[in-house]
C-alpha cells in the first residue's frame, strides 16, 4: 500500500528506536504496573518525538484503542495523519477500527496476532484472539493507513514474544 499523504519516511534507525521504546513500555507495564503484555506509543510527524503511550488496561481497553482515543481527543485529524503508532502486537479489529477513526496515518506492529494465538493457545479466556488481520480492516476504509509489521526479520517479534511469555506462563 502506498504511503498516505502527509507521512514522512520512517528510517530504519527511527523504526528501531520506536520499537525499542515500545518494548520497554511493555516490559515496564508488566514489571511495575502488573499489566498485560501489550503496549503502544505514538510518534509525532518527525518519527522521533513520542507524543503519548498506553498500556492495556483491560479486556476491552486495549493499549491501541486507549492511545488512539486519547490522541483523537488531543490532536487534530490532520496532524494525526502524519503520526505513527507503534504497537508491540498487531491490533485487533476493534483497535484497528479506532486507529482508522482517529486518522493515524501509520501503524507499526512488532508481533502478529497469529503469533499471539500460537503462544497463548485457542480459547484462552484471558485473550480471545480475533482472526481478522488489521490490514483487512484498513483495506475497506476510505482513507489509507500505512501498515508495517510484523517485524519478524528484524528480530522484534521474537523479543516481544520472549517478554510476553513471562505473563502468559502465569495466565495460560
Amino acid at each position: 500500500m502506498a504511503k498516505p499523504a502527509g507521512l514522512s519516511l520512517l528510517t530504519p534507525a527511527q523504526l528501531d528506536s520506536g520499537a525499542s521504546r515500545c518494548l520497554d513500555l511493555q516490559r515496564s507495564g508488566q514489571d511495575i504496573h502488573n499489566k498485560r503484555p501489550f503496549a503502544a506509543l505514538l510518534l509525532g510527524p518527525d518519527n522521533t518525538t513520542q507524543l503519548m503511550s498506553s498500556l492495556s488496561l483491560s479486556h476491552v481497553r486495549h493499549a491501541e484503542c486507549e492511545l488512539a482515543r486519547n490522541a483523537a481527543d488531543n490532536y487534530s485529524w490532520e496532524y494525526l495523519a502524519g503520526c505513527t503508532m507503534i504497537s508491540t502486537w498487531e491490533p485487533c479489529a476493534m483497535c484497528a477500527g479506532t486507529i482508522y477513526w482517529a486518522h493515524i496515518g501509520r501503524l507499526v506492529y512488532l508481533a502478529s496476532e497469529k503469533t499471539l494465538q500460537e503462544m497463548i493457545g485457542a480459547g484462552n479466556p484471558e485473550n480471545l484472539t480475533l482472526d481478522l488481520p488489521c490490514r483487512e480492516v484498513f483495506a475497506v476504509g476510505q482513507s489509507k493507513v500505512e501498515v508495517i509489521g510484523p517485524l519478524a526479520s528484524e528480530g522484534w517479534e521474537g523479543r516481544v514474544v520472549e517478554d510476553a511469555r513471562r505473563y502468559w506462563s502465569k495466565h495460560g
Side-chain angles (χ1 to χ4, degrees):
M1 179 180 290
K3 178 174 66 77
L7 279 175
S8 62
L9 180 67
L10 182 64
T11 68
Q14 290 169 328
L15 180 63
D16 280 345
S17 175
S20 179
R21 285 187 273 169
C22 198
L23 181 54
D24 286 346
L25 181 62
Q26 177 176 289
R27 285 183 183 126
S28 70
Q30 287 188 82
D31 296 344
I32 299 169
H33 306 292
N34 199 31
K35 297 292 182 190
R36 302 163 76 227
F38 301 96
L41 59 84
L42 185 68
L43 298 178
D46 65 0
N47 297 321
T48 302
T49 304
Q50 184 174 323
L51 302 173
M52 55 180 52
S53 64
S54 186
L55 299 168
S56 178
L57 303 178
S58 74
H59 288 76
V60 295
R61 294 183 66 196
H62 298 178
E64 302 89 349
C65 275
E66 293 297 305
L67 182 59
R69 286 184 189 111
N70 287 334
D73 286 346
N74 287 281
Y75 298 101
S76 73
W77 203 69
E78 295 81 11
Y79 183 78
L80 289 173
C83 292
T84 298
M85 178 186 287
I86 300 180
S87 176
T88 51
W89 292 95
E90 179 177 4
C92 70
M94 173 182 70
C95 293
T98 308
I99 292 164
Y100 174 82
W101 287 110
H103 202 61
I104 295 170
R106 179 186 295 129
L107 167 69
V108 175
Y109 66 90
L110 308 183
S112 73
E113 183 274 338
K114 290 279 191 204
T115 300
L116 176 64
Q117 186 181 45
E118 289 169 8
M119 180 176 56
I120 65 173
N124 185 325
E126 181 70 19
N127 191 320
L128 294 171
T129 57
L130 183 62
D131 189 12
L132 180 58
C134 66
R135 282 180 172 85
E136 291 183 27
V137 174
F138 297 136
V140 296
Q142 295 181 55
S143 60
K144 292 185 190 285
V145 177
E146 180 184 11
V147 180
I148 301 170
L151 301 183
S153 62
E154 295 86 346
W156 288 109
E157 185 170 47
R159 285 177 255 182
V160 168
V161 168
E162 180 182 333
D163 179 66
R165 283 190 197 285
R166 297 182 304 131
Y167 179 88
W168 296 111
S169 66
K170 299 172 196 162
H171 300 90

